[in-house]
Amino acid sequence: MLEIKNLSVKLEEEDKQILKGVNLSINAGEVHAIMGPNGSGKSTLSYVLSGKDGYSVTDGSASLEGTDLLDLEPEERAALGLFLAFQYPVEIPGVGNMTFLRTAVNAQRKQRDEPEMSAADFLKEVRARAKDLKIDADMLKRPVNVGFSGGEKKRNEILQMAMLAPKMCVLDETDSGLDVDAMKLVSDGVNALRSEGRSFLVITHYQRLLDHIKPDVVHIMADGRIVKSGGPELALEVEHNGYADILAEVA
Amino acid sequence: MAVQMNKDQDGLAKRALPKGAAWADEARLSAKARVEVTGLPTKRDEYWRYTDPKLLTSTEAPYAAILETDETPHFDQLDRLKVVFVDGVFDAAQSDDLSAQGVVIERLSDVAALDIHWAKDLYGTLETAGQSPVARPLAALNTAYANDGLVIHATGNAAKPIHLIYLHQDETSDAMLHHVIKVDPGAALTILESGPAAARFSKVIEVDVAQEGQFNHVQVQGRDHERRAVTHCFARISRESAFKSFTLTFNGVITRNECVIEILGDDASAHVAGACVGDGRDFHHDDTVFITHDAVNCESRQVFKKVLRNGATGVFQGKILVKKDAQKTDGYQISQSLLLDDDSQFLAKPELEIYADDVACSHGSTSGAIDETALFYLRSRGVPHKEASNLLTLAFLAEALEEIADSDIAQELQDRLEGWLGRRNA
């Protein structure tokens, strides 16, 4: 599904190398988690994959189902099936949440030469999905993320994910700012979307999210590289001992 | 019809005033005298510092190409009474019958010939009152020379909106219209206006809203690129009345919209809002608003948004004056521009002048570019760059469009804006 080879990236403005040769291969249906200390490059990886400005790729490649992602516009990557759940979902005053969702769904369909979703079908689908995530009619009507609590914003990200039905979902610290109940709700939403044809890359600081969203593979990232990969037990090791042991081990 | 506005006023003295009944002649002569005292505006005047009035006062015949479009006419879906002016001249054949429940509509040229008519107390009166503390010579010039317009008397709930359609068919037309509107106690009236009107257009509306009356106004200016317009709306509103005016402007080399409102009765409200979209170095749009609070517990709002690109210029001069006894005043003023490139500019002069001690007034003015973070968020969801940028532009204008009371009208204007943006970004 997602194939990242020797990906090296620097910040355009500061000429600072952030990613120093990331290798990662995620098969269809798999859930991978990336953990790592602050500043290790986890969020940068998610931004570079989704096409945010301000980064320049100095080496390596990233492809989704064999299509090179790095030369594509963000909207083209999305239409191919890449989705990034933002760590800090953006507030957009003046744009209704429903309008936003429908515009996104149909913009992707248009790019894929698929027929647009009818207003009635869209409404039916969005209501069903929203209900599962305990998103009420008021939240759907309000401007995108404006005045939403931290938990509401993250649930809204998962709603978008559900409506857009991507193939490759990247979740950037989706657990940050969530209380225990909200984390359960968001995790349930993610788990409901797990399927054979859909893969996940879950970026997190904490093992507790991985109690809910059980990964197949856990990677530890440090200083712009993936330094260790293993099974779910690797996350537990981090939880108990911190990163110091692992980093010392690989140094 | 064409009235040349000569800067040195030599032409002015020689020009013939329209003839009417004694009261009309007197009003016109006195207006002419007001212009002679102040002179026509020049860029040296403080009130015209950001907008060069040259194109409005020049003597040479203006030329404005006529925009060919097959778009649906404005407000076509609404049940309304249509009154058509072609290059500033009333066109009976294209207009509806002027009679409607709750409202009496007459032509200024007819009314001005009558010895006795209520309009004699209003014509030029509100314009004269609006000359202080700032002179508005172009409005006085209009009072002096305008020969056509509507005289509208709302006696109850007007059965339908009155839609003034301003067609532009002559590439060098120089038109003046002057409307006088009286809203009786408890009556309600909606006025819609649309169209480029003329190559050069001067319009004055004087509105008197009695207690518990409601006046609702929506105008759309555009879309001919070379058109020039100066409009004045002078309103006087009484106890528990409501005044609402919204203007949408597309294109035009110069548009100056002045709105002067005096709130004279307690518990009244006055809302003035506008949105404009301009593309290119030759777009210049100016909103100049002056609201005077002279009564207790009144509310006023000024909400203006401008989208400017490719070197376009936007101007806002807005003032809230709260007199000594106008306690419990709630005044709000916001003017914002979305600059889509580095060449465009927005010049704002927000002013508050408050003499009462128990008031809540706020004002703000901002200029900014498209929010890149929001743009990326939309694009990451699959919305292409241009579509995302248009969506954010409409979102920027939303606060102004929310000032429109009627949701069908608001929707239509939103669709027109989408069309405009779509044509630019095609």
Side-chain angles (χ1 to χ4, degrees), chain B residues 210-407:
Chain B
Q211 66 264 25
E212 297 174 45
Q214 288 179 43
F215 178 75
N216 193 10
H217 176 228
V218 178
Q219 69 171 331
V220 185
Q221 300 171 308
R223 277 195 293 111
D224 297 19
H225 291 275
E226 294 160 299
R227 61 166 191 85
R228 306 143 196 209
V230 55
T231 78
H232 290 85
C233 178
F234 296 96
R236 180 169 74 186
I237 72 170
S238 309
R239 179 175 55 81
E240 292 174 56
S241 66
F243 172 98
K244 225 166 163 32
S245 175
F246 179 89
T247 301
L248 175 62
T249 309
F250 295 100
N251 310 340
V253 289
I254 183 166
T255 308
R256 164 95 161 198
N257 294 323
E258 297 193 20
C259 190
V260 185
I261 303 170
E262 266 197 293
I263 306 177
L264 296 178
D266 298 347
D267 307 308
S269 82
H271 292 193
V272 192
C276 88
V277 287
D279 185 351
R281 204 158 290 285
D282 57 358
F283 175 85
H284 187 106
H285 185 273
D286 177 332
D287 283 303
T288 292
V289 180
F290 199 117
I291 297 182
T292 305
H293 281 264
D294 199 6
V296 176
N297 198 33
C298 294
E299 186 228 356
S300 74
R301 281 173 75 81
Q302 301 174 31
V303 181
F304 289 88
K305 302 261 188 169
K306 296 175 201 286
V307 174
L308 305 166
R309 49 183 283 170
N310 291 327
T313 302
V315 175
F316 173 78
Q317 304 189 96
K319 180 154 182 169
I320 307 173
L321 168 62
V322 181
K323 292 204 171 171
K324 189 164 65 66
D325 297 322
Q327 301 296 0
K328 308 282 179 199
T329 289
D330 179 1
Y332 174 75
Q333 182 197 84
I334 183 93
S335 64
Q336 295 181 307
S337 74
L338 179 63
L339 304 174
L340 296 178
D341 50 57
D342 292 341
D343 292 342
S344 300
Q345 59 170 340
F346 177 55
L347 305 158
K349 189 178 165 194
E351 287 181 284
L352 293 178
E353 191 176 333
I354 300 172
Y355 297 100
D357 52 19
D358 183 14
V359 302
C361 283
S362 63
H363 66 162
S365 185
T366 65
S367 278
I370 287 262
D371 178 352
E372 290 295 332
T373 318
L375 191 65
F376 174 64
Y377 190 58
L378 282 162
R379 294 179 74 192
S380 78
R381 296 305 181 245
V383 183
H385 191 289
K386 280 168 187 164
E387 206 180 321
S389 164
N390 289 353
L391 200 59
L392 293 174
T393 303
L394 288 170
F396 165 77
L397 294 170
E399 188 190 357
L401 286 162
E402 278 163 17
E403 289 292 318
I404 301 170
D406 184 302
S407 59

Side-chain angles (χ1 to χ4, degrees), chain B residues 115-145:
Chain B
D115 288 327
I116 298 171
H117 195 281
W118 60 262
K120 97 186 204 1
D121 294 331
L122 270 189
Y123 188 83
T125 306
L126 301 188
E127 174 260 295
T128 306
Q131 296 289 345
S132 163
V134 191
R136 304 172 198 276
L138 293 175
L141 193 76
N142 180 295
T143 301
Y145 291 98

Side-chain angles (χ1 to χ4, degrees), chain A:
Chain A
M1 176 68 70
L2 184 70
E3 203 69 47
I4 301 174
K5 283 183 190 152
N6 191 32
L7 187 61
S8 307
V9 170
K10 64 177 186 183
L11 274 182
E12 262 171 17
E13 280 191 3
E14 295 172 35
D15 196 26
K16 185 180 170 193
Q17 197 76 31
I18 307 287
L19 300 184
K20 300 170 179 173
V22 173
N23 288 292
L24 182 63
S25 179
I26 303 177
N27 295 320
E30 286 181 352
V31 175
H32 287 222
I34 293 188
M35 303 180 76
N38 288 328
S40 57
K42 303 185 304 291
S43 285
T44 296
L45 178 63
S46 73
Y47 285 141
V48 171
L49 287 175
S50 57
K52 192 175 180 177
D53 281 346
Y55 301 96
S56 70
V57 175
T58 51
D59 200 8
S61 67
S63 63
L64 184 66
E65 289 188 313
T67 307
D68 183 8
L69 285 175
L70 300 177
D71 284 338
L72 299 179
E73 298 294 335
E75 54 267 34
E76 293 171 323
R77 301 178 196 204
L80 275 181
L82 181 73
F83 181 90
L84 169 64
F86 282 54
Q87 182 181 0
Y88 302 109
V90 181
E91 298 187 4
I92 315 182
V95 177
N97 212 9
M98 284 285 246
T99 308
F100 169 68
L101 278 170
R102 190 154 177 236
T103 305
V105 166
N106 283 332
Q108 290 204 9
R109 285 177 170 233
K110 206 171 154 190
Q111 288 183 69
R112 293 193 293 255
D113 288 321
E114 294 166 13
E116 291 198 354
M117 203 173 191
S118 76
D121 286 350
F122 172 79
L123 213 60
K124 210 172 127 193
E125 170 101 10
V126 84
R127 279 192 184 137
R129 300 293 193 171
K131 197 174 162 219
D132 293 342
L133 289 159
K134 298 206 167 91
I135 291 175
D136 59 23
D138 182 53
M139 262 176 77
L140 289 174
K141 261 188 247 156
R142 268 153 51 189
V144 181
N145 294 326
V146 176
F148 287 25
S149 70
E152 285 173 336
K153 283 181 181 171
K154 296 299 170 79
R155 267 144 62 197
N156 203 29
E157 293 291 289
I158 306 305
L159 174 66
Q160 291 164 39
M161 195 162 90
M163 290 302 296
L164 294 167
K167 292 174 188 158
M168 180 70 231
C169 308
V170 181
L171 277 62
D172 187 10
E173 299 197 25
T174 292
D175 51 340
S176 70
L178 293 187
D179 61 29
V180 181
D181 293 339
M183 180 144 35
K184 174 101 178 32
L185 201 57
V186 164
S187 304
D188 288 348
V190 171
N191 287 329
L193 292 171
R194 288 180 73 159
S195 74
E196 277 179 21
R198 183 172 290 140
S199 310
F200 290 84
L201 179 59
V202 181
I203 296 169
T204 182
H205 272 293
Y206 303 104
Q207 192 271 335
R208 56 182 186 172
L209 179 67
L210 305 179
D211 281 343
H212 297 289
I213 305 172
K214 296 217 166 17
D216 299 302
V217 184
V218 174
H219 307 276
I220 305 299
M221 195 165 182
D223 193 26
R225 287 185 194 92
I226 287 175
V227 294
K228 189 170 186 184
S229 301
E233 71 284 352
L234 193 52
L236 285 170
E237 197 184 321
V238 169
E239 186 74 4
H240 292 306
N241 306 330
Y243 293 110
D245 289 359
I246 296 168
L247 298 185
E249 183 189 314
V250 298

Side-chain angles (χ1 to χ4, degrees), chain B residues 26-204:
Chain B
E26 200 183 303
R28 284 163 172 157
L29 270 171
S30 118
K32 188 182 166 197
R34 283 196 291 284
V35 184
E36 280 162 356
V37 169
T38 57
L40 289 176
T42 70
K43 207 169 181 325
R44 286 189 301 276
D45 294 330
E46 178 64 22
Y47 216 45
W48 289 87
R49 206 169 143 189
Y50 307 115
T51 297
D52 189 348
K54 194 170 74 235
L55 289 173
L56 298 169
T57 57
S58 62
T59 47
E60 78 271 20
Y63 174 95
I66 290 155
L67 184 85
E68 301 287 345
T69 167
D70 54 3
E71 284 163 56
T72 327
H74 277 281
F75 311 125
D76 214 35
Q77 302 302 314
L78 293 179
D79 181 22
R80 79 263 196 235
L81 191 147
K82 285 182 290 178
V83 185
V84 178
F85 292 88
V86 180
D87 294 300
V89 181
F90 175 70
D91 186 325
Q94 294 194 67
S95 300
D96 289 335
D97 183 88
L98 295 187
S99 55
Q101 198 88 41
V103 62
V104 180
I105 307 168
E106 294 167 279
R107 285 181 64 190
L108 176 65
S109 51
D110 295 336
V111 166
L114 302 173
D115 288 327
I116 298 171
H117 195 281
W118 60 262
K120 97 186 204 1
D121 294 331
L122 270 189
Y123 188 83
T125 306
L126 301 188
E127 174 260 295
T128 306
Q131 296 289 345
S132 163
V134 191
R136 304 172 198 276
L138 293 175
L141 193 76
N142 180 295
T143 301
Y145 291 98
N147 192 27
D148 217 340
L150 294 182
V151 176
I152 300 172
H153 185 188
T155 54
N157 268 336
K160 41 179 133 172
I162 297 164
H163 181 191
L164 281 55
I165 300 169
Y166 303 129
L167 303 180
H168 174 206
Q169 288 179 1
D170 175 354
E171 285 155 344
T172 57
S173 56
D174 201 359
M176 275 193 186
L177 288 175
H178 195 118
H179 308 303
V180 183
I181 298 168
K182 182 162 105 159
V183 179
D184 275 354
L189 176 69
T190 297
I191 297 285
L192 308 172
E193 298 179 279
S194 65
R200 179 162 67 186
F201 184 45
S202 159
K203 182 194 72 184
V204 168

